[in-house]
Amino acid sequence: NRPPSIVVHNFKVISVLQTDLVGFTALARTMEAEEVLRMLNDLFGVFDRLVSAHDVFKMETVGDAYICASGLPDFARGEHRPLALLLLALDMLAAVARYCNRANVTVGLRAGIHSGAAIGGVVGTTMQRYHLFGSTMHMVEKLESTAPSGGVHLSEAVRQALIAVGEMPPRCVGGSLLELEPLEMGALQTSKGEHVPQEDVGGQATYVVWPPGDVSHHKEHAPPKAPAKPCDVAPEVQGAVAPCGSPADSKNLVFAKSLAAFLSTKAGPSSAAAAAAAAAAAGVACAPP
């Protein structure tokens, strides 16, 4: 009559990414149920390939929210890789933008990332899935809900985690710097205009990262920043998939040929070639020259 054993893991630090489609609910009201299903399947299918290429853990999808994590033992040799989640989020933003252009629809993407402690485990006896629990999950939800559309919202804990693993300032493939632009303290709001106290995101500053080359939002959302100083980045970091990905649409032969040509010219030796191969398998284009 002993109670069944449960799976419980304690993680001192992991990073969690949560994304949500902006404008999806309103768009879904104008579509047939099957069209909504096909749209989510197309987008989440691309996200799944990106997650595999970045070697992080996909935890679950809830409606149009997509949640994954880094730092779990069965992925990337158990290494905690906050940069991988940041680059993944930027790849997701690029994928959504390209899908909208191709499908002639208007949706965006919000993304939040937080680093902290968590409990992992399986609950229930049917339809079992591995989930993460704790304040880290609450904070990443708040970061996502207050993220500007088209940007990645990071907590101070993520910035410290990037420093701890030698990835600050972060870079994408090609060496382009990714700036962390601080958002105004005490001014966090959801897309519905609801105020979110700074204490809900740790009581510290939060930051937004925009996709490389996107300057349309900077002046609107963030104060001017001093130019970031370049730093050395380990080769394995530079070999990560760049945040300029897009789905390799089999119906778009022109794009597919261009992607193949680009990868063949840009793929270098060692880790660069591996990154290009992973990107090709995931349907992702590396950073533009």
Side-chain angles (χ1 to χ4, degrees), residues 40-274:
L40 278 180
N41 186 65
D42 288 345
L43 282 171
F44 284 2
V46 174
F47 291 178
D48 288 346
R49 292 193 294 272
L50 291 172
V51 164
S52 179
H54 287 280
D55 198 12
V56 299
F57 169 60
K58 174 188 176 182
M59 189 171 77
E60 64 179 336
T61 60
V62 182
D64 58 326
Y66 194 104
I67 307 169
C68 47
S70 174
L72 278 70
D74 292 338
F75 298 85
R77 301 170 301 282
E79 296 174 4
H80 178 219
R81 299 160 57 238
L83 180 62
L85 287 185
L86 175 55
L87 296 182
L88 169 61
L90 292 171
D91 269 334
M92 288 176 164
L93 288 168
V96 170
R98 293 180 187 274
Y99 177 86
C100 290
N101 289 336
R102 186 173 68 251
N104 194 28
V105 296
T106 303
V107 291
L109 190 75
R110 287 191 304 264
I113 305 177
H114 179 60
S115 300
I119 296 292
V122 177
V123 295
T125 57
T126 62
M127 298 291 289
Q128 292 178 320
R129 290 182 61 87
Y130 191 86
H131 286 274
L132 296 169
F133 303 88
S135 61
T136 292
M137 303 308 297
H138 170 76
M139 289 181 63
V140 76
E141 181 181 356
K142 294 297 183 181
L143 288 161
E144 176 270 304
S145 67
T146 55
S149 180
V152 185
H153 195 189
L154 310 180
S155 66
E156 172 64 20
V158 174
R159 191 179 76 87
Q160 293 298 328
L162 288 168
I163 293 173
V165 295
E167 295 172 345
M168 187 68 195
R171 295 175 183 264
C172 62
V173 170
S176 300
L177 285 170
L178 298 171
E179 292 189 48
L180 276 64
E181 300 186 3
L183 295 179
E184 182 181 352
M185 292 280 288
L188 296 179
Q189 285 190 342
T190 68
S191 59
K192 298 178 180 178
E194 299 168 345
H195 175 71
V196 174
Q198 205 73 26
E199 289 73 19
D200 283 4
V201 292
Q204 297 177 304
T206 62
Y207 308 85
V208 62
V209 176
W210 302 105
D214 183 1
V215 298
S216 60
H217 303 283
H218 290 194
K219 292 183 180 179
E220 179 181 354
H221 290 283
K225 291 271 291 180
K229 296 179 180 180
C231 70
D232 295 329
V233 179
E236 59 269 22
V237 174
Q238 294 185 3
V241 179
C244 295
S246 68
D249 187 354
S250 60
K251 297 180 182 178
N252 190 340
L253 297 179
V254 175
F255 175 75
K257 292 179 180 179
S258 299
L259 175 62
F262 175 79
L263 290 174
S264 66
T265 58
K266 291 297 179 185
S270 66
S271 61

